[in-house]
Amino acid sequence: MLLTAVYSEPGACYFDKKGAAAVNYPLSIYVVKDTVKTVNRCERQAHDFYGRGLFKKAIIQWKKVLHLQPDNAFAMFMLGKSYMGAGEKEKGEYLCDQAIAIGEQSDKNICHSVEGF
């Protein structure tokens, strides 16, 4: 599950021995549901554009997803594939490599999700 636009209310603010401010956050985290809906809508549109060969439009949608979810490895991988489809092979390969690295760091296998793309 990907979290998007999360925030938490500060529980307390204090200063450490060196005078640096530190904030104690409680365990409750809030997810902005509208952002999740926006991400889902952009992903659907991006898949549709990609499938129809409208790679530049797909790039716009994948960028929107990554703006809201910068660590979304799948979206980054598909952005790379869209760049390759639009003729920007080097940029696309770089993004795909980055996406794979992010996926490996978070123990998520994105390769099974992109079959057929």
Side-chain angles (χ1 to χ4, degrees), residues 6-14 21-30:
V6 296
Y7 69 96
S8 180
E9 299 292 330
C13 184
Y14 59 92
V23 179
N24 180 21
Y25 287 94
L27 294 176
S28 58
I29 295 177
Y30 310 97

Side-chain angles (χ1 to χ4, degrees), residues 58-70:
I59 289 168
I60 293 168
Q61 296 305 315
W62 289 122
K63 282 183 174 182
K64 288 178 183 178
V65 172
L66 286 171
H67 176 74
L68 296 170
Q69 296 179 333

Side-chain angles (χ1 to χ4, degrees), residues 44-97:
R44 282 191 309 271
Q45 289 176 338
H47 278 295
D48 180 54
F49 289 140
Y50 186 92
R52 294 190 292 155
L54 302 170
F55 300 114
K56 290 187 179 188
K57 289 186 177 186
I59 289 168
I60 293 168
Q61 296 305 315
W62 289 122
K63 282 183 174 182
K64 288 178 183 178
V65 172
L66 286 171
H67 176 74
L68 296 170
Q69 296 179 333
D71 293 329
N72 185 330
F74 178 75
M76 186 177 293
F77 188 85
M78 290 306 299
L79 176 62
K81 296 290 284 181
S82 297
Y83 271 113
M84 285 189 260
E88 297 184 50
K89 186 178 177 185
E90 287 182 26
K91 190 172 191 174
E93 288 176 351
Y94 173 77
L95 286 167
C96 287
D97 290 343

Side-chain angles (χ1 to χ4, degrees), residues 72-74 76-77 96 99-100 103 108-115:
N72 185 330
F74 178 75
M76 186 177 293
F77 188 85
C96 287
I100 291 169
K108 293 180 182 174
N109 183 358
I110 63 167
C111 295
H112 74 278
S113 301
V114 294
E115 288 182 16

